[in-house]
Amino acid sequence: MKLLRSDIKTKEVLDWKGVHLINYKFSACSMKSRIYMNLKGINYTSHWVNLSAGENFSDWFQGINPRSLVPVLVHDGEVHIESNDILQYLENYFDNNPLIPPGKEETVADLLRFEDDLHMDIRNITFKFLVPRFLTKGKSIEPKSQNKATLHGKSDIVDDQNRNFWKNFDEVGIQDEVAIASLLRMKSALSDIDIELQKNKFILGPKLSLLDIAWFIYATRLQNAGYPLKKFHPNVYLWFQQLNADKSFNNEVKTPLPIRIITYLHYLFLKFNNRDIESLLKN
């Protein structure tokens, strides 16, 4: 999704040359974009926006992305948002090492839309089972900037949805019934992929594709959250282990030791109270 020049209020990016990725280390969509660019061998300049500190709601970033979300691609002064759109744009621009099989462009686009429809579910799972609420309690969200970017000349409701998520999370967290619904949707999608991986090395066949990158990120999040991937989806688990052994994948999803300790203690707390993933799915 390309912004018009008139949409962009942080004008300095219009002068950026080459490929720039505005992203955050622990953002799932940022991880997906970085893995893709690693595999394609695209030279790019990385710019960090700290979501934990609310920098995505700063005047500077709001002037670039009307949705206040990462990643954002700036390519020779053109601004593109939404990770799957970014990757499909780059795939069309850089023809080396193709990651969309010839003739499968529409199929991949449809399946990426389906994957994107599950984005709120992976967010619910992440903030229910991976991130203790005290780490984000009272998170500061700056009001909308007067110089906020627009989307094709109009304001965008996705920004309001994003703000409402953080407001509701701060007030009540992720309720069990919401988490269960998200887990069941994710389980259903992974069950379909498991069938495909029973007969294929990768999701679309014998070669790695964009879909493998996208679902690797989801599988990583689920594994880290305590989802029994091996038990529920054995073929997906083997596929995941294979990709995770590749440094192009693994280096982008590594979690620092202090965060691993916090998330593990959070998992133990949930398990002790029968509110971990397996316990909720049994009820």
Side-chain angles (χ1 to χ4, degrees):
M1 190 179 298
K2 178 183 171 182
L3 269 61
L4 303 175
R5 288 180 68 87
S6 56
D7 287 326
I8 303 159
K9 311 306 179 185
T10 301
K11 299 297 184 182
E12 68 183 75
V13 302
L14 297 173
D15 297 324
W16 288 4
K17 301 301 181 185
V19 180
H20 298 256
L21 188 71
I22 305 173
N23 65 114
Y24 177 53
K25 183 173 180 60
F26 303 117
S27 150
C29 291
S30 295
M31 292 174 181
K32 175 171 60 177
S33 301
R34 294 195 303 266
I35 290 171
Y36 171 84
M37 294 171 90
N38 290 343
L39 293 171
K40 291 285 285 188
I42 299 172
N43 292 321
Y44 69 98
T45 302
S46 179
H47 305 262
W48 292 118
V49 168
N50 189 341
L51 303 192
S52 298
E55 290 180 358
N56 53 314
F57 295 107
S58 67
D59 284 348
W60 185 87
F61 189 73
Q62 284 192 306
I64 298 169
N65 189 347
R67 297 183 170 180
S68 303
L69 298 169
V70 291
V72 173
L73 176 77
V74 182
H75 184 202
D76 289 334
E78 293 184 350
V79 175
H80 301 260
I81 64 173
E82 294 300 316
S83 61
N84 287 338
D85 290 341
I86 288 170
L87 300 190
Q88 290 173 91
Y89 163 78
L90 290 172
E91 187 71 7
N92 287 328
Y93 191 91
F94 295 96
D95 56 9
N96 61 302
N97 188 23
L99 288 167
I100 296 180
K104 294 279 189 178
E105 291 82 5
E106 288 188 16
T107 298
V108 169
D110 288 343
L111 292 173
L112 285 175
R113 277 191 288 271
F114 173 72
E115 177 263 351
D116 188 58
D117 288 342
L118 295 168
H119 181 74
M120 187 56 69
D121 293 309
I122 204 68
R123 181 188 279 192
N124 289 337
I125 292 166
T126 296
F127 287 97
K128 175 69 172 180
F129 303 105
L130 267 176
V131 182
R133 276 185 68 202
F134 73 84
L135 290 180
T136 59
K137 190 69 176 171
K139 177 177 178 175
S140 175
I141 297 180
E142 296 182 33
K144 290 187 180 183
S145 168
Q146 291 184 347
N147 291 320
K148 186 171 178 58
T150 52
L151 183 60
H152 300 164
K154 300 178 181 178
S155 60
D156 189 77
I157 62 168
V158 174
D159 182 57
D160 292 324
Q161 294 169 348
N162 193 29
R163 291 167 181 272
N164 286 335
F165 172 86
W166 288 113
K167 181 176 182 292
N168 292 334
F169 181 71
D170 187 57
E171 293 174 354
V172 300
I174 306 296
Q175 300 297 294
D176 287 354
E177 61 271 19
V178 173
I180 291 170
S182 289
L183 285 166
L184 290 175
R185 281 190 287 270
M186 197 63 66
K187 184 180 180 184
S188 174
L190 284 170
S191 294
D192 291 340
I193 292 174
D194 200 71
I195 293 171
E196 293 303 314
L197 290 172
Q198 191 171 6
K199 53 191 176 183
N200 295 316
K201 184 177 181 180
F202 298 107
I203 294 174
L204 279 184
K207 292 186 177 180
L208 184 79
S209 75
L210 268 179
L211 289 175
D212 296 288
I213 301 171
W215 279 99
F216 172 79
I217 299 300
Y218 280 2
T220 301
R221 280 288 167 92
L222 289 166
Q223 280 263 107
N224 292 343
Y227 182 88
L229 191 65
K230 185 176 182 180
K231 176 181 176 180
F232 288 163
H233 318 287
N235 297 309
V236 172
Y237 177 78
L238 292 174
W239 160 89
F240 171 77
Q241 291 294 104
Q242 172 194 350
L243 294 180
N244 198 42
D246 185 330
K247 289 183 179 180
S248 295
F249 285 80
N250 182 266
N251 286 347
E252 298 299 344
V253 298
K254 281 183 178 177
T255 305
L257 180 60
I259 295 179
R260 292 205 305 271
I261 292 172
I262 291 171
T263 55
Y264 181 66
L265 291 174
H266 184 54
Y267 164 77
L268 292 178
F269 170 79
L270 292 174
K271 190 169 181 63
F272 179 79
N273 290 282
N274 293 316
R275 296 179 65 214
D276 60 300
I277 289 177
E278 282 206 78
S279 297
L280 289 183
L281 288 177
K282 286 178 182 176
N283 296 331

